[in-house]
Amino acid sequence: MDTGSIAFIVICTAMVCLMTPALAFFYGGLGRRKNVINTMMMSIIPMAIASLLWIVIGYSLSFGGNGNLFRNFSHVFLQNVSSLTSSRHLIIPDLLFSAFQMMFSIIAVGILTGSAVGRMRFKPLIIFITAWLLMVYYPFAHMVWDDELLAQWGLLILLVVMLFTSLLEFLGWFWHL
């Protein structure tokens, strides 16, 4: 393991982790004064949900074992994810790679909730975030970051996040959730 690369990824992971609360403050400043706490919590609560889902099943569905659309359940609860070595032939440990990838799952949810601020109630937002992570983000993370179909096409996960953010904004406007 390369200690310089490990230190760099730890710093990058911490910086991306700070982006979500910063995004919550940004969204809070855009709304009305009476909605600041609600607006900020619409970014913070999905951050907790995304973290828990990533640890429980997200990493396993995105990067565990073999599979076409999803991987398998070999790393549920980060089981068999080493904190010292890499099974992916990287120069950073698997656990650090998982934490780094989890931060992108979190910030994607933060960006996604920005389109729902003031348009959705909490319960439908939580249901949507959970379904979106399981059915959209994890398969696309696998297809983009694990050298699968979309990586071969050269597409970035950010484009996918922006597409589904626009979809959520349209649905929130259309149905007034």
Side-chain angles (χ1 to χ4, degrees):
M1 297 284 112
D2 181 18
T3 56
S5 296
I6 291 171
F8 179 75
I9 296 297
V10 166
I11 291 169
C12 292
T13 302
M15 294 300 219
V16 175
C17 185
L18 289 174
M19 288 170 66
T20 304
L23 199 58
F25 280 107
F26 175 71
Y27 291 152
L30 291 176
R32 288 181 280 171
R33 186 178 215 177
K34 67 178 188 171
N35 295 338
V36 170
I37 299 298
N38 182 46
T39 301
M40 291 177 70
M41 292 312 289
M42 285 186 108
S43 290
I44 300 298
I45 298 297
M47 179 180 173
I49 291 170
S51 299
L52 288 173
L53 273 176
W54 183 261
I55 290 167
V56 172
I57 200 165
Y59 181 74
S60 188
L61 291 177
S62 297
F63 298 105
N66 295 323
N68 293 328
L69 184 60
F70 285 110
R71 287 301 184 161
N72 60 26
F73 299 106
S74 63
H75 297 304
V76 172
F77 290 101
L78 296 179
Q79 176 184 343
N80 301 324
V81 176
S82 174
S83 62
L84 301 175
T85 61
S86 175
S87 62
R88 305 177 55 76
H89 309 294
L90 301 173
I91 55 176
I92 59 172
D94 286 340
L95 191 61
L96 182 56
F97 175 75
S98 174
F100 184 67
Q101 291 294 332
M102 179 177 69
M103 293 304 129
F104 289 102
S105 171
I106 291 170
I107 196 67
V109 167
I111 292 169
L112 191 64
T113 57
S115 66
V117 170
R119 294 184 180 102
M120 275 182 113
R121 287 174 285 164
F122 250 92
K123 190 174 181 178
L125 177 69
I126 299 306
I127 293 168
F128 179 81
I129 292 296
T130 303
W132 184 81
L133 283 169
L134 290 172
M135 293 187 288
V136 177
Y137 187 83
Y138 299 150
F140 276 92
H142 160 65
M143 288 188 277
V144 170
W145 298 114
D146 218 14
D147 292 331
E148 293 295 327
L149 181 64
L150 296 179
Q152 294 168 4
W153 290 352
L155 296 177
L156 297 175
I157 195 75
L158 182 62
L159 298 175
V160 175
V161 170
M162 293 302 173
L163 173 72
F164 285 100
T165 301
S166 302
L167 177 65
L168 176 64
E169 187 168 344
F170 173 74
L171 292 175
W173 170 81
F174 187 71
W175 283 305
H176 299 289
L177 299 174

